[in-house]
């Protein structure tokens, strides 16, 4: 089994950590999506990462679809069975992924446009979304027990990404979020392998 990924992608980090934690053996294959690698495009016509390719040739893409696939293959290691708890995990994962969506919008706006064409109101709107969601997470910090779930992996991946791309711009007034990765690493010591 393979996961096509990029080191910088928070969605890739999430699924790679989850697969490792769940004990699903996968080979991690770094790809440059800008180069349109043939193996990735054969598996995923969108050319997006992460993409999981099973031994029997099934391609699974979108990080949440991959997370659900991992969960099914490992008999429920990532999501709780209880419906209410499952919804909490799904919403946490969606919030962390949504923050990443906004952060990536900012990065791409700056990276792909000439400086005089960068649309600052768009960047400001995306950053407002990020700050609202971070404040929501700070006020509603998820419990982190002995067994991390999919939402915890999504939150850890998002915090790794925001620190990588926006260091020093998000921590103020959010002490719980600042401490989260230390707490996460205590229950998932292998996080060190994914810090980048």
């Amino acid at each position: 089994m393979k996961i096509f990924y990029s080191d910088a992608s928070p969605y890739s980090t999430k699924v790679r950590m989850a697969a490792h934690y769940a004990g699903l053996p996968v080979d991690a294959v770094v790809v440059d999506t800008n180069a349109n690698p043939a193996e990735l495009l054969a598996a995923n016509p969108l050319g997006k990462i992460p993409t999981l390719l099973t031994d029997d040739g099934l391609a699974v893409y979108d990080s949440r679809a991959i997370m659900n696939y991992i969960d099914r293959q490992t008999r429920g290691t990532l999501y709780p069975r209880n419906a209410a708890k499952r919804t909490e995990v799904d919403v946490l994962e969606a919030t962390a992924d949504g923050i990443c969506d906004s952060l990536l919008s900012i990065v791409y706006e700056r990276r792909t446009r000439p400086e005089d064409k960068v649309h600052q109101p768009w960047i400001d709107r995306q950053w407002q979304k990020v700050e609202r969601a971070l404040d929501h997470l700070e006020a509603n910090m998820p419990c982190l027990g002995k067994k991390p779930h999919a939402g915890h992996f999504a939150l850890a991946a998002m915090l790794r990404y925001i620190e990588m791309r926006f260091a020093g711009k998000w921590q103020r007034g959010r002490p719980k979020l600042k401490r989260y990765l230390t707490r996460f690493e205590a229950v998932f010591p292998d996080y060190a392998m994914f810090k980048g």
Side-chain angles (χ1 to χ4, degrees), residues 66-149:
I66 294 170
M67 294 292 279
N68 281 285
Y69 178 85
I70 293 168
D71 187 64
R72 286 189 301 275
Q73 295 301 306
T74 59
R75 299 179 185 223
T77 57
L78 300 179
Y79 295 94
R81 290 184 186 165
N82 175 282
K85 289 181 181 179
R86 171 65 188 249
T87 299
E88 287 178 21
V89 172
D90 288 342
V91 170
L92 175 58
E93 185 177 8
T95 302
D97 286 355
I99 292 170
C100 291
D101 294 345
S102 290
L103 294 171
L104 282 161
S105 290
I106 294 169
V107 169
Y108 290 148
E109 179 70 17
R110 290 180 176 150
R111 183 183 294 165
T112 61
R113 294 185 189 269
E115 194 170 327
D116 63 327
K117 302 284 186 197
V118 170
H119 191 62
Q120 191 60 44
W122 172 255
I123 290 173
D124 294 343
R125 181 159 169 71
Q126 297 308 309
W127 190 251
Q128 288 169 358
K129 292 178 187 181
V130 168
E131 290 202 314
R132 277 195 311 267
L134 290 173
D135 289 342
H136 172 78
L137 289 170
E138 180 71 22
N140 301 281
M141 184 58 63
C143 294
L144 183 59
K146 293 178 183 176
K147 292 176 141 186
H149 56 57

Side-chain angles (χ1 to χ4, degrees), residues 152-167:
H152 295 131
F153 287 106
L155 180 54
M158 179 275 292
L159 289 170
R160 174 190 177 269
Y161 185 77
I162 197 170
E163 184 58 25
M164 179 174 55
R165 296 286 192 225
F166 300 89

Side-chain angles (χ1 to χ4, degrees), residues 22-65:
L24 191 68
V26 294
D27 292 328
V29 180
V30 176
V31 293
D32 174 6
T33 56
N34 293 319
N36 291 325
E39 194 173 17
L40 173 63
L41 294 177
N44 180 346
L46 299 170
K48 294 176 70 175
I49 51 163
T51 294
L52 182 136
L53 186 61
T54 67
D55 291 335
D56 60 358
L58 173 68
V60 183
Y61 42 90
D62 182 82
S63 66
R64 283 190 230 161

